[in-house]
Amino acid sequence: MFIQWVMWFLENPVISDLWAAIVCGCVIFAFLGLWKETAWRGLDQKLNRKLVHISIGLVFMLCWPLFSSGHRGAILASLIPGVNIIRMLVLGLGILKDEATVKSMSRYGDHRELLKGPLYYAATITSACVIYWRTSPVAIAAICNLCAGDGMADIIGRRIGRTKLPYNRNKTVAGSVAMFTAGFLASIGFMYYFALFGYIQGSWGMILGFLVVSLASAVVESLPISTELDDNLAVTLTSILVGSVVF
């Protein structure tokens, strides 16, 4: 009887998804804890912030195969970044204090910054998960260009970017090239990753689609309007709109 109960417990899809959510949540919050610690120990604030930006969304997407197919798996998976939406609101509004988290995710250490970029980041990843899930290359393109692309654009641009873009002196050629390259390569990597599980079928046509989306995202990110709108929104919206056309 006990063995039958254990087997039912392990094979029950709802229970399985709940366990997947717990495991995924633990992994994500372990990474957040890591970057919180590095921020507290004095790692360059801007670099630390971008390491959070790059890693969290990509690690979250790596956990997607833990969940079942269909809407239930997508919804339960989306609860992980969904919790971060609430967390950003609570910290950004000053309801709770957490200086290390604020330092790891903000440019200047102001808790109100969490109500902009970090909140948009969590919201866009949650939306990509719920709406497109792991069977759509649009989700891959949106998250990879947001995380890997936009994150590397800032890191590379600040460190080796010397030549400014003629139409936006706040951006560099090196940063835009890094954005395109990182977003494109990450997209291809996740295409093959999800293809291993049979969620999508990789093809040269899909790779070409990722190239177009990454190029469009890099161009939009380089425009002055992306700063006013916030890169996290501009890049994700561009990836979704262009991806919906090319895929």
Side-chain angles (χ1 to χ4, degrees), residues 33-217:
L34 169 65
W35 301 130
K36 180 178 176 180
E37 183 67 20
T38 56
W40 190 254
R41 291 180 179 273
L43 181 66
D44 178 74
Q45 189 167 339
K46 292 178 180 177
L47 175 60
N48 199 92
R49 176 175 170 270
K50 283 303 173 180
L51 290 175
V52 174
H53 186 98
I54 293 170
S55 63
I56 298 304
L58 298 183
V59 170
F60 172 58
M61 198 156 53
L62 283 173
C63 293
W64 285 6
L66 295 174
F67 296 87
S68 65
S69 300
H71 293 300
R72 185 184 61 245
I75 291 172
L76 285 175
S78 71
L79 292 178
I80 308 305
V83 168
N84 262 329
I85 293 176
I86 298 173
R87 191 161 166 257
M88 293 304 100
L89 287 171
V90 170
L91 293 175
L93 292 171
I95 298 172
L96 292 179
K97 305 292 185 182
D98 188 340
E99 292 183 14
T101 296
V102 171
K103 188 175 181 181
S104 70
M105 295 186 180
S106 63
R107 284 187 174 92
Y108 307 109
D110 186 343
H111 65 87
R112 289 169 294 185
E113 292 180 62
L114 301 188
L115 297 175
K116 296 181 180 179
L119 178 60
Y120 300 152
Y121 178 91
T124 52
I125 288 179
T126 302
S127 299
C129 177
V130 171
I131 298 171
Y132 296 101
W133 196 213
R134 62 196 182 195
T135 58
S136 173
V138 175
I140 295 175
I143 294 178
C144 286
N145 283 293
L146 169 64
C147 299
D150 187 47
M152 289 304 298
D154 187 82
I155 292 175
I156 298 301
R158 289 183 185 278
R159 277 154 181 74
I160 66 172
R162 297 292 181 269
T163 305
K164 302 291 185 179
L165 293 173
Y167 53 87
N168 187 356
R169 307 305 294 177
N170 293 320
K171 304 284 185 177
T172 65
V173 173
S176 293
V177 172
M179 162 132 194
F180 164 72
T181 304
F184 178 52
L185 293 179
S187 297
I188 294 175
F190 272 96
M191 179 192 75
Y192 284 114
Y193 176 65
F194 285 148
L196 288 175
F197 297 94
Y199 303 142
I200 60 175
Q201 186 174 356
S203 66
W204 285 106
M206 189 175 291
I207 290 175
L208 178 60
F210 285 136
L211 186 148
V212 172
V213 174
S214 293
L215 180 60
S217 297

